[in-house]
Amino acid sequence: MIDAILVLNVGSSSLKFAVYPQTSATHAALLRGKIAEIGSNPVFSAHDAASIAVPENRFPPLNRAMILDDVVPKLLDWLKTYHGGFTIVAAGHRVVHGGRHHGGPARVTDALMAELDALVPLAPMHQPHSLKAIRCIAVQTPEMPQVACFDTSFHRTQDRLAQLFALPRALSDEGILRYGFHGLSYEYIASVLSAHLGDRAAGRVIVAHLGNGASMCAMKERRSVANSMGFTALDGLMMGRRCGTLDAGVILYLLEEKGLTTQEVTTLLYRSSGLLGVSGISNDMGVLEASEAPEAQEAIDLYCYRAAGELAALATAIGGLDALVFTAGVGENSALIRKRICDRLLWMGVVLNSVENDGNASRISSVYSAIDVLVIPTDEEAIIARATQLLTIAAAVA
Ligand code: ADP
């Protein structure tokens, strides 16, 4: 039996998990899986280190009444009986918001949990779920060390200007700032950039994380200089269900003239906008690409138009562009979206090799392109595993 780290990446309705050897968390995961559609139609899927699928019936039955509080203990119990040759000795979690002061991961303590609870209003669709997962593990195995890894940490290297809104100073001083998110994904991409780009990895790079949530990060020397998300995960790019950047006057109008409640506005901005709102069909890019409805095509056009515009603004923050990286579900898999975005960047010297792009190759730019364009699969779980290894083994030695 080897000691292992359990990594949990909990979303609003799904839980991704991975198990890594504790002493070599840079290695591939021993087991990876997902419980999707929690609260509606939970589905378990997993595969081992050899990519062999774990039969769904090896996991205890799930039903639609189950919420995260039921699923996490079930997963912990199941891992004890899995016969994978490991024992879970520590847990690492993706936590969306770490506030102003966490520039890196932190060991979970009561004080930390109180701090993270206070940030729930800044990430209402994400933060409560990760905190719940931490508490479920603490109840079941109170002695197990846990580590919180924040999506905001990677962006704490940004200059003050990149973090400020043009609001009265007192509000900035109390923490109404641009925090930025998807930092664990950006940290992973930054960690593998040299393998793809050599010395150019230290240059001006923009990473486009295009998943259900979507953002971009402008890096220099593999550190975050600016990004498209702000105070909450609503800002910036158009997303699956979120609107992205919006004239704040629209919100005032919805509240004052249309009489919407703040809860209704929250649902509108987080759940009913973006690709779903514009198309009226789906938040899923694959579904929209397959649709011939003009509304689906308009949603895709707007997504790419907005993405190209955001990218150009971020390029200004780093004084130009040497490389563009696409990652996450849409970025890694959709040749159409990469092409539509890159076609709008021809003026910057971005030229794709259409054969490589259609094949989801890791380098998709043409030899005539002034800018390297790459597709790199992200791995947030690997970053969480490494952080958990460092903070738990170091603590055990001390
Ligand atoms: P999350 O932010 O939940 O981790 P993902 O990174 O898995 O999401 O991205 C999910 C998105 O990726 C969905 O909109 C899905 O349609 C899209 N996607 C996945 N594969 C493809 C594909 N082959 N073509 C177009 N879109 C795809």
Side-chain angles (χ1 to χ4, degrees):
M1 283 285 194
I2 57 166
D3 288 347
I5 291 168
L6 171 64
V7 171
L8 290 185
N9 180 348
V10 184
S12 50
S13 63
S14 71
L15 176 162
K16 291 183 197 160
F17 66 91
V19 177
Y20 290 81
Q22 193 195 26
T23 50
S24 53
T26 49
H27 290 184
L30 302 167
L31 182 67
R32 250 179 206 275
K34 185 173 182 175
I35 301 173
E37 298 181 58
I38 298 169
S40 55
N41 178 29
V43 186
F44 169 88
S45 59
H47 60 264
D48 65 17
S51 296
I52 295 171
V54 177
E56 201 181 327
N57 62 10
R58 273 195 69 188
F59 197 78
L62 293 163
N63 66 56
R64 58 181 59 236
M66 285 178 178
I67 54 172
L68 196 62
D69 306 62
D70 308 309
V71 170
V72 172
K74 237 180 205 327
L75 176 66
L76 287 177
D77 286 340
W78 179 72
L79 287 170
K80 281 186 201 146
T81 61
Y82 172 70
H83 298 306
F86 56 75
T87 309
I88 304 294
V89 296
H93 299 261
R94 175 182 178 203
V95 176
V96 167
H97 217 304
R100 252 190 293 187
H101 305 299
H102 290 287
R107 274 289 286 265
V108 171
T109 60
D110 289 346
L112 181 75
M113 291 301 280
E115 209 185 307
L116 301 181
D117 276 334
L119 295 169
V120 165
L122 306 193
M125 300 294 161
H126 300 93
Q127 191 88 340
H129 304 292
S130 358
L131 300 187
K132 196 173 269 183
I134 294 174
R135 290 197 163 101
C136 284
I137 293 182
V139 166
Q140 198 161 338
T141 49
E143 70 292 345
M144 186 180 292
Q146 299 197 70
V147 171
C149 302
F150 308 109
D151 264 324
T152 45
S153 295
F154 186 70
H155 303 297
R156 301 280 60 76
T157 52
Q158 290 179 5
D159 281 350
R160 181 169 157 81
L161 278 192
Q163 300 190 53
L164 276 182
F165 290 112
L167 286 170
R169 300 189 81 79
L171 293 176
S172 307
D173 291 346
E174 74 179 52
I176 302 184
L177 293 166
R178 299 176 55 81
Y179 290 95
F181 298 91
H182 289 137
L184 299 169
S185 173
Y186 295 130
E187 189 176 338
Y188 176 78
I189 300 293
S191 76
V192 298
L193 260 186
S194 299
H196 293 267
L197 286 174
D199 290 345
R200 278 165 79 84
R204 301 161 300 178
V205 178
I206 291 181
V207 181
H209 176 110
L210 308 179
N212 278 315
S215 72
M216 288 182 182
C217 178
M219 300 180 192
K220 246 181 175 174
E221 302 198 338
R222 295 189 292 274
R223 292 155 77 94
S224 174
V225 174
N227 70 284
S228 63
M229 274 183 175
F231 179 59
T232 66
L234 266 185
D235 204 6
L237 304 178
M238 175 173 165
M239 304 174 221
R241 292 170 176 272
R242 284 170 255 165
C243 58
T245 301
L246 180 72
D247 176 351
V250 173
I251 297 168
L252 299 178
Y253 181 84
L254 293 173
L255 292 169
E256 287 170 9
E257 302 298 325
K258 289 191 66 79
L260 267 64
T261 63
T262 49
Q263 188 51 52
E264 284 168 335
V265 173
T266 303
T267 304
L268 181 99
L269 302 180
Y270 276 99
R271 307 289 306 160
S272 324
S273 297
L275 290 171
L276 175 63
V278 176
S279 70
I281 296 171
S282 176
N283 62 305
D284 188 311
M285 189 61 91
V287 172
L288 297 184
E289 286 185 18
S291 168
E292 286 177 5
E295 293 84 358
Q297 295 311 311
E298 188 171 64
I300 290 176
D301 285 346
L302 183 60
Y303 184 95
C304 298
Y305 170 80
R306 296 268 304 257
E310 194 73 55
L311 189 140
L314 286 172
T316 306
I318 46 176
L321 190 62
D322 299 310
L324 165 61
V325 178
F326 286 99
T327 193
V330 175
E332 291 166 28
N333 298 298
S334 175
L336 177 79
I337 299 302
R338 293 192 300 258
K339 177 175 164 32
R340 292 273 190 90
I341 294 172
C342 289
D343 281 352
R344 291 184 176 277
L345 301 171
L346 188 61
W347 65 272
M348 293 175 87
V350 174
V351 187
L352 286 190
N353 175 321
S354 54
V355 174
E356 303 292 4
N357 185 43
D358 289 348
N360 294 328
S362 59
R363 179 178 293 266
I364 59 171
S365 42
S366 148
V367 288
Y368 303 109
S369 185
I371 290 157
D372 292 314
V373 187
L374 307 175
V375 177
I376 305 180
T378 193
D379 193 347
E380 291 156 325
E381 288 76 25
I383 292 294
I384 299 168
R386 276 176 224 168
T388 308
Q389 177 191 34
L390 280 175
L391 290 192
T392 55
I393 289 188
V397 169

